[in-house]
């Protein structure tokens, strides 16, 4: 058993493990690090400041190891010779000297009983015992197959651990593998829209790692997050119903919603609704529609995959295909937005009021253990139109061809997030009132709409504002932490 509610495993509970296929095409995978804590460091680490989940937030230099900082990392710690005693969430940190890196443990929780190394080693298949004995005795990262075997053994040893570790076992891998190619592609694109919304809002993408296939109802990625609410709950949300365009969202047969909150600033939160008309395997992609409630600004992002051809990533299309139809749809919607009177409200100022962006992704792989964004490039619709009209996007035989080399200027992920987060681009306040047509158009195309709303913190009541103490100039520039 575990002592108390083992909340740190909520982070780990959704992890799956796969071997990367080559360095160039590798994806971030979850890992387990075994830490043998030196006797002189044990009291110091256990008495460290509390982490997010109540356990100590400690850091220890360890030999350098390979692991993506974007993927989950679990630490099994031995604070007693020859016994696993604690488990926690970890991060691979910066260099701690020649050949060393920091192992940052966000929280540590004690097991109900110390588990002897030999008890674990004796229960794994024989082919893993030699490598496991070496790693568990010296400390370090477990190999993916050994780690999977260890997870299965720990699940058998304790019913509570079985519940917490079930998603790390072979059964979870089988559930993911059973998803069809189209299902996995659509889940990957929906996960990308969610990650982009969380990054733009400043909430962070940690919540993505909670995904599990066991609760997926074959409609959206959001269904796989335990706290997502079902359609009936969405209909009760009067605050969402008042948002521009939400009438179109509520018409979709399949809806899931979840609110994500920043772990560092409780005032920062984003509500995400995923809506679609078709089963997961029949959907044709996903669009992100991001709404900043403070500045009443919408931005829409459509995602396209770049194909790898020899040493170059490229995107090809024809003037009569689905992509050209989607561009024409954006043009028609933009023409309607342009008919709306200019916005003179300072909060409505935009560097560009064209809300449409394209993201061309060099890799679309469904990996629920990677909370990062797909590599790729963002193009504003206006730049895309200019590129196509200039003839720059033509191949050697006259076909339409986009590559990293011929596109010229493009927005990186950081640049795009900065522009959208500050509402420097997007619809004006007056334009945002007429977004229902755009949302309905996306749903009718068979794509999933990820409708993300960064919510404004509630205003301070007048009486409360009057009660706040006045700050002198120095304290206003450097306020005390409360």
């Amino acid at each position: 058993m575990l002592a108390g509610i083992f909340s740190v495993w909520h982070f780990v509970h959704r992890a799956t493990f796969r071997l990367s296929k080559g360095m160039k095409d590798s994806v971030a995978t979850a890992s387990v690090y075994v830490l043998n804590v030196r006797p002189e460091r044990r009291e110091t680490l256990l008495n460290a400041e509390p982490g997010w989940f109540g356990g100590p937030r400690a850091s220890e230099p360890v030999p350098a190891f390979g692991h993506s900082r974007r993927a989950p990392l679990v630490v099994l710690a031995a604070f007693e010779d020859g016994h696993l005693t604690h488990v926690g969430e970890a991060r691979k940190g910066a260099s701690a000297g020649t050949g060393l890196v920091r192992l940052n443990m966000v929280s540590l929780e004690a097991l109900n009983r110390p588990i002897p190394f030999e008890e674990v080693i004796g229960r794994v298949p024989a082919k893993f015992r030699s490598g496991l004995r070496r790693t568990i005795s010296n400390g370090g990262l477990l190999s993916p197959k050994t780690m999977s075997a260890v997870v299965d053994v720990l699940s058998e040893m304790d019913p509570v651990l079985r519940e917490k570790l079930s998603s790390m076992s072979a059964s979870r891998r089988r559930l993911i593998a059973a998803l069809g190619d189209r299902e996995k592609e659509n889940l990957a694109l929906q996960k990308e829209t969610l990650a982009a919304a969380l990054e733009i809002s400043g909430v962070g993408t940690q919540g993505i790692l909670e995904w599990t296939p066991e609760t997926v109802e074959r409609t959206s990625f959001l269904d796989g997050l335990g706290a997502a609410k079902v359609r009936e709950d969405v209909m009760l949300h009067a605050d969402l119903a008042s948002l521009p365009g939400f009438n179109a969202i509520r018409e979709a047969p399949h809806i899931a919603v979840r609110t994500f909150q920043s772990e560092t600033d409780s005032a920062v939160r984003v509500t995400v609704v995923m809506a679609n008309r078709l089963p997961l395997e029949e959907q044709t992609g996903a669009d992100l529609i991001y709404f900043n409630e403070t500045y009443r600004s919408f931005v829409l992002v459509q995602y396209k995959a770049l194909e790898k051809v020899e040493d170059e990533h490229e995107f090809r299309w024809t003037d009569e295909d689905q992509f050209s139809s989607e561009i024409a749809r954006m043009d028609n919607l933009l023409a309607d937005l342009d008919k709306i009177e200019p916005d003179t409200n300072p909060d409505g100022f935009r560097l560009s009021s064209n809300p449409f962006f394209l993201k061309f992704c060099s890799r679309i792989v469904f990996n629920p253990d990677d909370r990062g964004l797909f590599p790729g490039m963002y193009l504003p619709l206006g730049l895309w139109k200019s590129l196509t009209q200039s003839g720059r996007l033509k191949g050697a035989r006259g076909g339409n061809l986009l590559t990293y080399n011929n596109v010229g200027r493009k927005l990186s992920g950081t640049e795009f997030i900065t522009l959208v987060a500050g509402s420097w681009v997007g619809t004006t306040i007056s334009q945002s009132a007429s977004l229902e047509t755009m949302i309905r158009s996306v749903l009718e195309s068979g794509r999933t709409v990820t409708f993300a709303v960064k919510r404004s913190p509630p205003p301070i009541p007048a009486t409360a504002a009057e009660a706040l103490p006045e700050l002198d100039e120095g304290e206003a520039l450097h306020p005390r932490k409360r």
Side-chain angles (χ1 to χ4, degrees), residues 123 140 147 151 198 405:
R123 295 197 182 195
M147 175 181 57
V151 166
L198 296 177
N405 291 326

Side-chain angles (χ1 to χ4, degrees), residues 429-476:
I429 296 174
S430 52
Q431 288 174 335
S432 295
S434 61
L435 263 291
E436 189 168 318
T437 301
M438 182 172 73
I439 294 174
R440 184 172 284 108
S441 176
V442 174
L443 287 169
E444 290 173 352
S445 72
R447 302 172 70 84
T448 291
V449 170
T450 299
F451 184 47
V453 184
K454 183 178 181 182
R455 310 313 305 271
S456 304
I460 300 175
T463 54
E466 293 170 0
L468 290 176
E470 294 185 3
L471 303 179
D472 60 32
E473 184 177 355
E475 188 174 6

Side-chain angles (χ1 to χ4, degrees), residues 170-246:
S171 62
R172 184 174 190 268
R173 296 196 304 277
R174 287 193 295 269
L175 286 169
I176 293 176
L179 293 169
D181 291 341
R182 176 63 72 85
E183 289 177 299
K184 284 190 279 192
E185 180 179 350
N186 283 321
L187 284 171
L189 288 168
Q190 292 168 16
K191 171 177 163 287
E192 168 76 6
T193 63
L194 174 60
L198 296 177
E199 287 282 11
I200 293 168
S201 65
V203 167
T205 56
Q206 188 64 39
I208 287 176
L209 299 176
E210 300 172 13
W211 188 87
T212 176
E214 298 178 61
T215 57
V216 171
E217 300 172 359
R218 298 296 190 269
T219 59
S220 74
F221 182 84
L222 211 58
D223 290 320
L225 298 178
K229 299 186 175 107
V230 296
R231 175 187 173 88
E232 290 76 11
D233 293 316
V234 179
M235 298 300 100
L236 300 176
H237 279 221
D239 56 342
L240 286 179
S242 66
L243 293 172
F246 193 72

